[in-house]
Amino acid sequence: MYLQPRPGIAWPSPRLRELNDAVRALLGLDDDTAVIIRQFGCGQAGHPPRETVVAVLPMEGEPHRWVLHRPAEQITEHELRAALLGHGPR
């Protein structure tokens, strides 16, 4: 069954779906692990106006979270790999 969003609710952008798939592939996640990617406005001085948060919530074990200080549309595969594999969860 294919679910449609409720009226007035924005459907996730194709870029967020691409990032979700990339996170799953980079971390070798199974289907039981939730991956949530959201963009938020950031009001801190010296940070861009939008940042992207990646959360990985396994059924067993600890959740992980990474904050990339860029809009999702500007995150490259290299930056995503560096954040997830190079620096560990934040």
Side-chain angles (χ1 to χ4, degrees), residues 18-40:
E18 289 171 8
L19 288 174
N20 188 303
D21 292 342
V23 168
R24 288 189 169 286
L26 286 169
L27 298 178
L29 301 175
D30 59 26
D31 291 338
D32 290 335
T33 300
V35 175
I36 301 169
I37 301 175
R38 294 290 183 255
Q39 293 188 92
F40 296 98

Side-chain angles (χ1 to χ4, degrees), residues 15 18-24 26 37 54 66 68 75-86:
R15 181 62 184 148
E18 289 171 8
L19 288 174
N20 188 303
D21 292 342
V23 168
R24 288 189 169 286
L26 286 169
I37 301 175
V54 177
W66 297 266
L68 292 95
I75 297 171
T76 65
E77 185 177 338
H78 176 73
E79 291 169 326
L80 185 62
R81 178 179 282 114
L84 298 179
L85 303 177

